[in-house]
Amino acid sequence: WIALFAAATAIGARIEIPHHPVPYTMQTMFVLLAGAFLGARNGAMSQILYLAIGVLGAPVFSIGGFGIASLLGPTGGYLLAFPVAAAAVGYLVQTRRTLPWLFLSMAVGLAIIFVSGIIQLYAVVFGNWNDAFGAGFLVFSWWDVLKLSAAAMTYRELSKRWTRLPE
């Protein structure tokens, strides 16, 4: 399951709409689902595996990116937050299973990703917090509300059968 969610995140990177400096992708939906289904530890492990595969040379990041340079570029802040976000979602989802809590848990995961992404955009692209916030969060907010909703509803329906995937 860890490898499956790492692969799903890689596929999510390829489902993209080009946008500069960070494209719209489906990755974060799979990060949220990894945490919810696998729990904090295994959810984080799936994202660490995803990052490791990319750093080792597989073109699994958006725009066919790979290598350590992807982690140091405009999208690196988002990518580096994936394991932390999956862990946070995994931890929070295991404490309660109501739909509002599920949405809140996944919103926390997205917030972690956005904060890290905005900081990296500030540092390597813009040098201005307003521009980094606009390009790193505001343009994606509607898209990520859709992905968060899809992830929460997917988890809600599938968790009726599996609250957590088998180890």
Side-chain angles (χ1 to χ4, degrees), residues 23-115:
Y24 294 87
T25 70
M26 293 296 291
Q27 291 166 292
T28 53
M29 186 175 90
F30 295 109
V31 173
L32 301 175
L33 287 170
F37 278 114
L38 301 179
R41 182 184 62 111
N42 289 348
M45 290 300 296
S46 73
Q47 299 310 303
I48 290 168
L49 177 60
Y50 166 69
L51 294 176
I53 290 167
V55 167
L56 292 174
V60 296
F61 302 138
S62 63
I63 317 168
F66 62 90
I68 195 78
S70 292
L71 300 182
L72 302 174
T75 61
Y78 300 97
L79 294 169
L80 290 169
F82 286 0
V84 178
V89 171
Y91 174 78
L92 292 170
V93 167
Q94 300 307 313
T95 62
R96 272 192 268 172
R97 299 208 189 277
T98 65
L99 189 57
W101 185 255
L102 181 58
F103 273 92
L104 180 63
S105 301
M106 290 186 174
V108 167
L110 279 179
I112 291 167
I113 293 168
F114 277 125
V115 166

